[in-house]
Amino acid sequence: MTPTTDSAPTVGVPPLAGSARNGPRDVVRQSLALARRNMLQLRGDPGQLLDSVVMPMVFTLIFLYVFGGAIWGDRPGDYRQFLLPGIMVQTLMFASRSTGYLLAVDFDNGVMDRLRSLPIARSAVLTGRIVADMSRLLLGQVVMLLFALAIGFRVETNVLLAVAALLLTLLYGTALAWVSAFIGLTIRSPNTVQSVGFLWMIPLQFGSSMLVPTSTMPGWLRVFAEANPTTLVTDACRNLLAGGPIAGPVLGTVLWSVGLMCFAVPLAISRYRRR
Amino acid sequence: MTLAIEVEGLVKRFGAHRALDGVDLAVPAGQILGLLGPNGAGKTTMVRVLATLLRPDAGRARVFGYDVVEEPHQVRRCIALTGQFASVDGNISGRENLYLIARLLGVPARRARSEATGMLERFRLAEAGGKPAREYSGGMRRRLDLAASLMGEPRLIYLDEPTTGLDPHSRNELWAMVKERALAGATVLLTTQYMEEAEALADSAVVVDKGRVIAAGTAADLRARVGGRTLEIRPAHPRDLAALAGSLALEGLDGRIDQETCVVRLPLVEPDELTRAVRAVTASAVEVLAVDTRVASLDEAFIELTRSTA
Ligand SMILES: Nc1ncnc2c1ncn2[C@@H]1O[C@H](COP(=O)(O)OP(=O)(O)OP(=O)(O)O)[C@@H](O)[C@H]1O
Ligand SMILES: [Mg+2]
């Protein structure tokens, strides 16, 4: 142990708060305390859940029963088996936007001023946010899977692969959450963060195999769609749940997610430090 | 004597605007300092720089010897901030707000719980402790904010206009709390727009305007500096205001015209000034309705101080 110079009590002056330097254990404790607060926030504001779980359910019903016939035509198999993994990915993508939004809200209402004037590790605030958001994403995925099963989706593989599907989508969602964090820390107004978070994902979502097979797309779009990480993660999720080739899309998803995080994490951290 | 705050030539720019324009300040440990100034004077900017939330553009600021730019972590270990706008998390309960702070400061979970409960009781929030803070009234939120910043027994407390929006009862309570902290050895930097508040609490006061320190001393000093007593001369016709001020000037007196209330106002500092002023008024042959001397209120002193830099 290194001796701390500030332990000598000056009469009448309260001791310094926190530790002289934040060690790994301090950072973990601080991150978990903040993650806990972020999770409680979810309970205090159920609207957040509504947005991230109920909306995709409504979306599913519309796609399945309104557009389903037109989209699927007389292809072999069931559109249900195709659509529901896609919806799971969509749920995840929408839910990942909250990371940036909630960070912007914390800056907006002064909570961040308090946190930034406390002797805590800078990284704890972002880590606490991401940890809470990962739990939220996973919760959303589990709820969506149960919903899918309830409306007739069948897992044609096994439990192990189904769990792998959840973890893989969670990885992609975490990468997107970091991008969202970067957006939220760059743009100040929470409402703008919300819109930008929505806009940049539109090509990513709709130029993919998420809702429709890519085979009917014009050539140029198909090129985009097939390189799109959303297509990869959707295919991976689909094949892990309903059978089909796994290695290619899984590897592609992992590479894309890790690659995205290699950019988004340092960018978000440097943004956070500079504000 | 240890200095809690030491500021030299501090400058903070927002674009072309200088919110702080070369501020010097020294606050001895254990003191309560009132930082006074009108809207836009730079009080909040000052507090934010001292709380490591803003980087100054020039000059230096030290808190208990730690530089706010070089050693922000050590500075944060000394300070607690209650910002001008309450910074509590409305989505979680008051209790959870306090528990979070205690945990972040390294207090073990069980003790953090009991400390949070203790604070809620001290700030008369025990009953509302479990409710989401967004359901609190403005005053309750302010009290919660204050409780949050006092969680870690900070050495140095920044209070940015802490009594705005408080009823007189809560205000007195807050004043008592601040004094109690100072007795326990804490240093307090309190910003306010009211001289009265500075006089009630502060050992000394600094008046800032347009990013500069324009006066410093005890509240009594500041009152004395703007004359303590003021002579008000009211002519029968507003058009004579200038003539009155002119003849005062011939006597070497600096009377100030107030068109709105139609008086010439003269701070009385030297003992013979009243006699000289009366002589000047007689000499001017202006028809005068009233001549009054008034003791300047502290707020007038404040207005006087900030006006003279305009
Ligand atoms: N983030 C900012 N961006 C641009 N200008 C700013 C910013 N913060 C403060 N200012 C400007 O700096 C000046 C000082 O502001 P500051 O908030 O420090 O004043 P204040 O003394 O706290 O005023 P008040 O009594 O109204 O709270 C003002 O002119 C303000 O417009
Ligand atoms: Mg202010």
Side-chain angles (χ1 to χ4, degrees):
Chain A
M1 286 299 285
T2 46
T4 45
T5 47
D6 47 59
S7 58
T10 321
V11 179
V13 178
L16 290 172
S19 29
R21 106 167 348 150
N22 285 310
R25 285 182 55 181
D26 294 306
V27 180
V28 169
R29 175 175 40 76
Q30 293 159 5
S31 305
L32 289 179
L34 285 161
R36 174 194 150 88
R37 169 256 177 180
N38 294 334
M39 297 292 286
L40 286 171
Q41 216 180 21
L42 197 64
R43 204 174 63 187
D45 183 10
Q48 275 185 50
L49 266 183
L50 196 78
D51 191 46
S52 60
V53 179
V54 178
M55 277 293 285
M57 290 183 181
V58 174
F59 218 71
T60 308
L61 298 179
I62 293 175
F63 262 77
L64 198 55
Y65 298 113
V66 181
F67 302 137
I71 292 172
W72 203 247
D74 37 48
R75 286 165 203 274
D78 187 351
Y79 181 50
R80 207 182 305 256
Q81 293 297 94
F82 181 89
L83 176 70
L84 281 158
I87 293 281
M88 284 179 66
V89 172
Q90 190 187 41
T91 307
L92 182 93
M93 293 181 80
F94 275 128
S96 73
R97 293 177 311 158
S98 318
T99 303
Y101 173 72
L102 294 171
L103 282 171
V105 167
D106 278 349
F107 269 102
D108 208 45
N109 64 19
V111 169
M112 212 52 109
D113 280 350
R114 158 136 299 137
L115 296 182
R116 283 152 56 99
S117 64
L118 287 172
I120 58 173
R122 291 301 220 206
S123 58
V125 176
L126 286 184
T127 316
R129 178 81 264 159
I130 293 285
V131 167
D133 287 341
M134 285 173 71
S135 328
R136 187 169 49 84
L137 292 180
L138 188 61
L139 184 71
Q141 291 301 80
V142 171
V143 171
M144 279 313 291
L145 184 59
L146 293 178
F147 170 73
L149 294 173
I151 62 165
F153 179 80
R154 288 289 150 255
V155 176
E156 291 163 46
T157 55
N158 56 46
V159 178
L160 218 61
L161 290 184
V163 170
L166 290 180
L167 293 181
L168 193 73
T169 52
L170 183 63
L171 175 69
Y172 184 57
T174 306
L176 293 180
W178 277 106
V179 176
S180 171
F182 171 68
I183 294 173
L185 293 167
T186 307
I187 301 169
R188 278 156 194 258
S189 138
N191 286 332
T192 317
V193 170
Q194 199 72 314
S195 317
V196 172
F198 181 73
L199 281 176
W200 87 273
M201 274 189 203
I202 285 184
L204 219 54
Q205 293 196 335
F206 292 97
S208 80
S209 69
M210 197 167 79
L211 302 170
V212 295
T214 53
S215 53
T216 58
M217 294 178 180
W220 59 270
L221 186 55
R222 202 155 70 212
V223 171
F224 174 83
E226 269 154 23
N228 185 344
T230 306
T231 299
L232 293 172
V233 71
T234 310
D235 289 349
C237 184
R238 215 168 257 154
N239 298 351
L240 283 167
L241 291 172
I246 299 173
V250 169
L251 187 68
T253 304
V254 171
L255 288 179
W256 261 108
S257 303
V258 172
L260 258 180
M261 282 196 272
C262 282
F263 283 99
V265 175
L267 278 176
I269 290 174
S270 88
R271 273 286 149 192
Y272 179 74
R273 283 183 196 283
R274 248 189 291 155
R275 277 190 61 164
Chain B
M1 183 179 62
T2 338
L3 284 180
I5 302 176
E6 229 181 319
V7 170
E8 290 156 29
L10 205 64
V11 174
K12 177 69 201 176
R13 277 186 294 263
F14 292 111
H17 178 76
R18 286 172 168 249
L20 295 176
D21 194 7
V23 174
D24 298 318
L25 196 66
V27 186
Q31 271 218 355
I32 304 181
L33 177 86
L35 186 63
L36 285 141
N39 288 145
K43 304 183 295 296
T44 298
T45 307
M46 184 76 199
V47 168
R48 290 178 63 84
V49 169
L50 290 174
T52 72
L53 296 175
L54 276 180
R55 262 174 105 80
D57 294 307
R60 49 187 304 166
R62 266 169 301 198
V63 168
F64 286 100
Y66 299 116
D67 190 289
V68 295
V69 179
E70 307 293 331
E71 301 153 290
H73 181 71
Q74 303 306 330
V75 172
R76 290 180 196 127
R77 296 180 66 200
C78 305
I79 63 167
L81 169 68
T82 306
Q84 184 167 0
F85 306 101
S87 55
V88 298
D89 183 349
N91 286 319
I92 61 176
S93 68
R95 184 184 306 278
E96 284 293 345
N97 267 285
L98 299 181
Y99 177 76
L100 171 68
I101 306 291
R103 289 294 287 148
L104 289 176
L105 290 173
V107 179
R110 273 192 55 191
R111 220 179 81 213
R113 289 224 165 276
S114 67
E115 281 185 14
T117 306
M119 272 296 189
L120 287 172
E121 276 160 15
R122 277 185 61 193
F123 284 82
R124 290 191 293 124
L125 291 168
E127 234 170 274
K131 279 203 298 186
R134 80 174 104 80
E135 292 170 20
Y136 288 15
S137 75
M140 287 162 78
R141 202 175 303 209
R142 207 99 263 256
R143 294 208 298 273
L144 178 61
D145 201 25
L146 198 70
S149 57
L150 296 182
M151 274 314 273
E153 302 260 314
R155 292 183 173 196
L156 171 57
I157 305 166
Y158 302 131
L159 301 170
D160 196 357
E161 301 194 20
T163 52
T164 25
L166 289 188
D167 60 30
H169 179 56
S170 305
R171 188 192 61 180
N172 290 342
E173 249 179 12
L174 184 139
W175 284 1
M177 195 82 69
V178 171
K179 284 181 185 156
E180 181 198 305
R181 284 293 159 150
L183 280 179
T187 312
V188 180
L189 175 71
L190 167 104
T191 82
T192 174
Q193 313 204 14
Y194 308 108
M195 269 279 187
E196 190 202 347
E197 186 159 74
E199 187 166 50
L201 284 177
D203 299 304
S204 59
V206 166
V207 183
V208 290
D209 192 26
K210 303 193 175 66
R212 288 173 171 276
V213 174
I214 56 169
T218 63
D221 285 344
L222 294 182
R223 198 208 296 248
R225 269 200 46 184
V226 285
R229 279 187 315 151
T230 309
L231 182 67
E232 284 186 357
I233 310 160
R234 186 184 303 277
H237 306 289
R239 61 168 188 269
D240 291 335
L241 282 167
L244 263 181
S247 57
L248 284 171
L250 286 180
E251 275 284 346
L253 298 169
D254 181 21
R256 209 167 268 128
I257 296 173
D258 185 339
Q259 292 283 1
E260 271 165 53
T261 53
C262 188
V263 294
V264 175
R265 216 170 260 134
L266 177 70
L268 296 173
V269 185
E270 304 297 330
D272 68 332
E273 281 180 342
L274 183 57
T275 327
R276 281 159 62 203
V278 174
R279 197 158 55 219
V281 173
T282 318
S284 71
V286 167
E287 190 187 337
V288 171
L289 277 187
V291 178
D292 283 318
T293 64
R294 303 200 309 110
V295 176
S297 73
L298 276 170
D299 287 321
E300 277 170 333
F302 174 55
I303 290 167
E304 187 67 27
L305 278 169
T306 53
R307 192 174 61 177
S308 51
T309 60

